[in-house]
Amino acid sequence: MDDVELLNEVKIRLALTGEYHDPLIKGFIEDVIAYMSDAGVPDEVFTDSASIGCIARGVADLWNYGSGDGEFSKVFKERTIQLCFKE
């Protein structure tokens, strides 16, 4: 899956349309993937469709940082751990 496909899949899961927020979403995707990679998710898992939901959840968490909680959700963290062990 290339960057454009990933961006589109994340936008679908977050019910976002148009291109106005694409640069922001791309930045969030990069941050989420870096977090997941540092946590130990294998590189080949990022090309698997199983990771899209987790990436979208992480992007949503970053999008909502302004709400005051300032952290990734439990769902995102648990799914990241699961993906660390995916072959």
Side-chain angles (χ1 to χ4, degrees):
M1 173 176 311
D2 66 22
D3 292 344
V4 173
E5 291 172 321
L6 179 58
L7 173 64
N8 288 331
E9 288 296 325
V10 168
K11 287 170 62 175
I12 288 168
R13 282 165 174 76
L14 300 179
L16 298 171
T17 59
E19 299 176 2
Y20 179 78
H21 292 295
D22 283 4
L24 177 64
I25 297 167
K26 287 178 188 177
F28 286 160
I29 289 171
E30 291 171 8
D31 291 343
V32 167
I33 289 174
Y35 177 96
M36 293 171 68
S37 180
D38 290 347
V41 175
D43 289 340
E44 56 272 7
V45 172
F46 292 111
T47 61
D48 189 302
S49 61
S51 65
I52 297 171
C54 186
I55 293 168
R57 176 72 259 164
V59 168
D61 291 344
L62 291 176
W63 188 284
N64 293 320
Y65 262 8
S67 67
D69 60 5
E71 62 183 298
F72 283 117
S73 65
K74 184 177 178 181
V75 171
F76 171 75
K77 291 177 184 177
E78 289 178 359
R79 186 65 178 134
T80 296
I81 292 168
Q82 291 172 339
L83 290 172
C84 287
F85 298 100
K86 185 166 178 64
E87 295 180 4

